[in-house]
C-alpha cells in the first residue's frame, strides 16, 4: 500500500477527481473536487494537497489538506478533510496513516497545528486530536471541530 500525493503524481488526477466525487460529492458539488484537484497541481501555494491510498493499483482511501472545510472557523487552518477508507480495508490503521501524512506535510509547510471537522466522537481522539468546539457550515448544519499538533 502506498499513500500518493496527487500533486507529486499528476497522472492520478482524473482517478482522484472521480474517487473524491464518488465518496464526498453530491450532484451540486461535483465541480468542487474537479476544480480544486485540477488547480492544486500547479499552484505555488503549499495547499491544497490531495492524497490517495493505493493498493495494487486500486484506490482504497483518500484525504485532503486544505485551507478551509466549508466551516465558519476561517481563523483556523489547515484542515484535514475528506478522510475515507474503503470498508473492506478498515481496521488496518489506514485512516491513521493518512492523518499522519497530512500532519507531516502541514509541518513541512510551516503549520504547527491541523484541524478537522467531523460528526464522529472517539475516532480522532485516538490520533491526538482534541475537540475544541462547534463550527457552522454554509448549508445550515454544524460539525465538531478538532485540533492537533502537526508533529
Amino acid at each position: 500500500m502506498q499513500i500518493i500525493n496527487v500533486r507529486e503524481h499528476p497522472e492520478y488526477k482524473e482517478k482522484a477527481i472521480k474517487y473524491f466525487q464518488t465518496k464526498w460529492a453530491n450532484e451540486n458539488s461535483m465541480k468542487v473536487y474537479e476544480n480544486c484537484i485540477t488547480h492544486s497541481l500547479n499552484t505555488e501555494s503549499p495547499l491544497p494537497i490531495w492524497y490517495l491510498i493505493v493498493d495494487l493499483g486500486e484506490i482504497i482511501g483518500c484525504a485532503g489538506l486544505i485551507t478551509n472545510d466549508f466551516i465558519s472557523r476561517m481563523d483556523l487552518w489547515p484542515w484535514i478533510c475528506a478522510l475515507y477508507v474503503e470498508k473492506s480495508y478498515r481496521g488496518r490503521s489506514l485512516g491513521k496513516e493518512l492523518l499522519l501524512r497530512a500532519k507531516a506535510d502541514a509541518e513541512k509547510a510551516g503549520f504547527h497545528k491541523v484541524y478537522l471537522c467531523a460528526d464522529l466522537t472517539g475516532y480522532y481522539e485516538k490520533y491526538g486530536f482534541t475537540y475544541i468546539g462547534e463550527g457552522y457550515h454554509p448549508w445550515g448544519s454544524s460539525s465538531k471541530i478538532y485540533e492537533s499538533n502537526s508533529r
Side-chain angles (χ1 to χ4, degrees), residues 3 11 19-21 28 32 37 42 44 59 63 65 76 81 83 89-90 92 110-111 126-127 130 133-134 143 150-151:
I3 296 177
E11 67 273 17
Y19 191 81
F20 277 93
Q21 287 174 330
N28 297 316
V32 171
I37 292 169
N42 298 313
E44 292 182 19
I59 299 171
L65 183 64
L76 306 174
C81 71
L83 179 68
Y89 283 84
R90 292 180 187 167
R92 301 181 193 185
F111 300 104
K126 293 187 294 189
Y127 305 116
T130 303
E134 292 291 310
S143 289
S150 58
R151 299 173 204 172

Side-chain angles (χ1 to χ4, degrees), residues 20 24-25 29 32-33 36 47-50 63-84 99 114-119 124 129 134-146:
F20 277 93
W24 293 104
S29 63
V32 171
Y33 290 101
C36 188
L47 302 175
I49 301 172
W50 298 97
L65 183 64
I66 61 175
T67 58
N68 187 277
D69 201 6
F70 303 107
I71 195 134
S72 57
R73 291 298 306 273
M74 293 185 191
D75 57 312
L76 306 174
W77 70 85
W79 294 79
I80 297 173
C81 71
L83 179 68
Y84 184 84
L99 291 169
V114 293
Y115 303 88
L116 59 82
C117 55
D119 297 324
Y124 296 104
F129 284 84
E134 292 291 310
Y136 304 92
H137 299 287
W139 50 87
S141 65
S142 65
S143 289
K144 297 173 185 169
I145 296 175
Y146 295 89

Side-chain angles (χ1 to χ4, degrees), residues 82-97:
L83 179 68
Y84 184 84
V85 174
E86 293 292 336
K87 289 179 183 172
S88 61
Y89 283 84
R90 292 180 187 167
R92 301 181 193 185
S93 297
L94 298 176
K96 174 186 175 182
E97 294 304 317

Side-chain angles (χ1 to χ4, degrees), residues 9-39:
H9 295 275
E11 67 273 17
Y12 279 90
K13 178 185 109 173
E14 294 303 322
K15 288 180 181 178
I17 290 167
K18 285 182 178 44
Y19 191 81
F20 277 93
Q21 287 174 330
T22 300
K23 301 306 175 191
W24 293 104
N26 61 38
E27 64 184 47
N28 297 316
S29 63
M30 298 292 268
K31 286 287 190 183
V32 171
Y33 290 101
E34 178 183 347
N35 195 264
C36 188
I37 292 169
T38 297
H39 290 284

